[in-house]
């Protein structure tokens, strides 16, 4: 059974940093795509970052480019999202997700939420001004 569990959220001041973790089980990172998403109140789910099984490229949405780093630890079956220079607008529930197997549209829309078929429960990140 594929499972993902996100953690690491909390209350952070603007300009600060945090690292989110997603502990996984039931699949290998080589089986598909892993990614991070977020959903702010009243908004849709936004793709932030993802890595495909090929590991040749990391994708980041424009709003976090230069402020986010996604990484993996295969031995711990855990992947991470490091966010720096946090902004109030980064406040959201953050989700980790997996797309297994990789969909045919991945190359065109790597951060499209409906393409991901496994989801963690979310962790709240609140950035104060």
């Amino acid at each position: 059974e594929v499972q993902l569990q996100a953690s690491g959220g909390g209350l952070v001041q603007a300009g600060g940093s945090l690292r989110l973790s997603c502990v996984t089980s039931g699949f290998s990172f080589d089986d598909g795509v892993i990614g991070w998403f977020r959903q702010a109140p009243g908004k849709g789910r936004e793709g932030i970052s993802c890595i495909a099984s090929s590991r040749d490229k990391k994708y980041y949405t424009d709003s976090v480019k230069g402020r986010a780093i996604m990484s993996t630890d295969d031995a711990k079956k855990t992947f991470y999202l490091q966010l720096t220079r946090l902004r109030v607008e980064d406040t959201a529930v953050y989700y980790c997700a997996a797309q297994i197997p990789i969909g045919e549209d991945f190359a065109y829309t790597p951060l499209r939420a409906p393409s991901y078929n496994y989801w963690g429960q979310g962790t709240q990140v609140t950035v104060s001004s």
Side-chain angles (χ1 to χ4, degrees):
E1 181 185 5
V2 173
Q3 292 185 326
L4 302 97
Q5 184 168 352
S7 63
L11 177 62
V12 185
Q13 282 194 327
S17 303
L18 55 70
R19 188 177 77 160
L20 304 179
S21 301
C22 183
V23 178
T24 71
S25 62
F27 72 102
S28 164
F29 295 165
D30 294 331
D31 292 339
V33 184
I34 49 176
W36 286 98
F37 295 76
R38 65 186 178 187
Q39 188 163 15
K43 295 188 176 181
R45 195 161 293 190
E46 175 191 24
I48 302 171
S49 181
C50 68
I51 300 173
S53 54
S54 60
R55 316 290 182 101
D56 60 347
K57 185 176 180 180
K58 298 178 185 179
Y59 297 85
Y60 297 97
T61 193
D62 286 347
S63 62
V64 302
K65 281 181 180 176
R67 302 191 296 122
I69 298 175
M70 185 175 173
S71 60
T72 61
D73 185 331
D74 288 52
K76 294 182 178 179
K77 298 184 71 67
T78 302
F79 61 97
Y80 306 93
L81 181 69
Q82 178 81 31
L83 288 169
T84 63
R85 290 179 280 137
L86 283 161
R87 307 167 181 169
V88 172
E89 53 264 39
D90 292 321
T91 295
V93 178
Y94 284 69
Y95 299 89
C96 54
Q99 182 182 149
I100 303 169
I102 299 177
E104 294 180 353
D105 63 348
F106 175 75
Y108 306 102
T109 54
L111 292 172
R112 180 178 176 269
S115 298
Y116 289 72
N117 46 355
Y118 297 98
W119 292 85
Q121 85 288 1
T123 184
Q124 175 71 47
V125 172
T126 302
V127 184
S128 63
S129 59

